[in-house]
Amino acid sequence: GAVVSQHPSRVICKSGTSVKIECRSLDFQATTMFWYRQFPKQSLMLMATSNEGSKATYEQGVEKDKFLINHASLTLSTLTVTSAHPEDSSFYICSASVGGRVLFFGSGTQLSVL
Amino acid sequence: DQQVKQNSPSLSVQEGRISILNCDYTNSMFDYFLWYKKYPAEGPTFLISISSIKDKNEDGRFTVFLNKSAKHLSLHIVPSQPGDSAVYFCAASTLEYGNKLVFGAGTILRVKS
């Protein structure tokens, strides 16, 4: 399957700092990428749809000023958690499609805010 | 409103036997369904999918069945292997929603050797 690379895999930060997570499509171009979040023992919840060259579309209840998404190229989308707080601690995962209906996921980023 | 439901939180199966994981959905606009396997602290891995124009899709040990009238799909794994132990997520999408995946809550599968 298509490869989606996500970095970092794990980050621990102090409350109030910002954290950037990168998602790259390694062997294909992705005009659209999706960002998900998973809390422990829960399902994957869609946060936003990242569109290359335009603004991201956020799901209801997701603060766009807190979770900044930039999709500057066809192979890179970034999610920045601004002024992180302990309640933002979660597992963040990006995904992309080669062009069909199947989404391929990155390896995820475990964010822990102290 | 949970549009995709996996009502069994966990399933335990003996090695070599069949594992059957179930999923129900409520939104009749969904026209594409997928199963993913996931380990803790890793991203989901795509297993198999099915379009709503089909009722069965098979790939090796994995078969997905779709019953549109019942809004129900299932994943059969046969024979089950200890390496299949993981969390399995059912997901659904429709192009009406931009191909976004809506996930079920997941089912923990344990295959005992």
Side-chain angles (χ1 to χ4, degrees):
Chain A
V3 179
V4 176
S5 175
Q6 187 173 340
H7 294 280
S9 59
R10 188 176 190 87
V11 59
I12 301 172
C13 69
K14 292 182 179 179
S15 185
T17 59
S18 294
V19 174
K20 180 184 282 188
I21 302 169
E22 290 189 351
C23 180
R24 295 180 185 273
S25 56
L26 295 186
D27 51 1
F28 64 100
Q29 294 182 329
T31 55
T32 302
M33 291 185 176
F34 301 92
W35 286 95
Y36 286 81
R37 177 169 58 183
Q38 183 187 29
F39 290 107
K41 298 185 179 180
Q42 293 189 24
S43 186
L44 289 82
M45 300 301 295
L46 179 66
M47 297 176 65
T49 302
S50 172
N51 303 298
E52 188 269 335
S54 64
K55 291 183 179 180
T57 306
Y58 291 82
E59 295 299 302
Q60 191 173 13
V62 178
E63 299 176 59
K64 59 183 178 182
D65 293 331
K66 176 164 218 25
F67 299 101
L68 300 179
I69 291 173
N70 184 288
H71 196 151
S73 77
L74 287 170
T75 59
L76 174 64
S77 174
T78 60
L79 168 67
T80 301
V81 183
T82 63
S83 187
H85 287 95
E87 58 266 30
D88 298 323
S89 298
S90 185
F91 190 63
Y92 293 87
I93 325 169
C94 67
S95 67
S97 166
V98 184
R101 302 294 298 272
V102 177
L103 293 188
F104 296 95
F105 286 81
S107 53
T109 299
Q110 182 64 53
L111 171 63
S112 300
V113 185
L114 304 178
Chain B
D1 175 31
Q2 201 172 0
Q3 300 184 68
V4 179
K5 302 177 184 179
Q6 292 177 258
N7 292 319
S8 298
S10 65
L11 174 68
S12 186
V13 172
Q14 196 67 34
E15 181 180 8
R17 307 293 280 269
I18 185 171
S19 295
I20 300 176
L21 298 124
N22 294 303
C23 178
D24 297 292
Y25 62 98
T26 58
N27 191 335
S28 58
M29 291 179 67
F30 288 140
D31 63 354
Y32 199 77
F33 305 89
L34 309 91
W35 284 95
Y36 286 86
K37 176 181 178 181
K38 187 181 182 302
Y39 296 111
E42 293 185 14
T45 301
F46 169 71
L47 282 175
I48 192 168
S49 62
I50 188 167
S51 165
S52 61
I53 62 174
K54 294 185 175 182
D55 55 18
K56 177 183 175 181
N57 189 26
E58 189 173 351
D59 184 1
R61 296 186 299 116
F62 302 94
T63 303
V64 55
F65 295 92
L66 175 63
N67 183 333
K68 281 178 58 180
S69 61
K71 292 191 176 67
H72 176 84
L73 64 152
S74 61
L75 174 68
H76 292 209
I77 305 173
V78 57
S80 300
Q81 300 172 353
D84 295 329
S85 298
V87 181
Y88 288 78
F89 288 96
C90 167
S93 71
T94 168
L95 291 176
E96 297 288 333
Y97 296 159
N99 202 34
K100 295 183 284 190
L101 292 186
V102 179
F103 283 87
T107 297
I108 300 170
L109 174 64
R110 295 187 185 91
V111 180
K112 299 175 289 186
S113 57

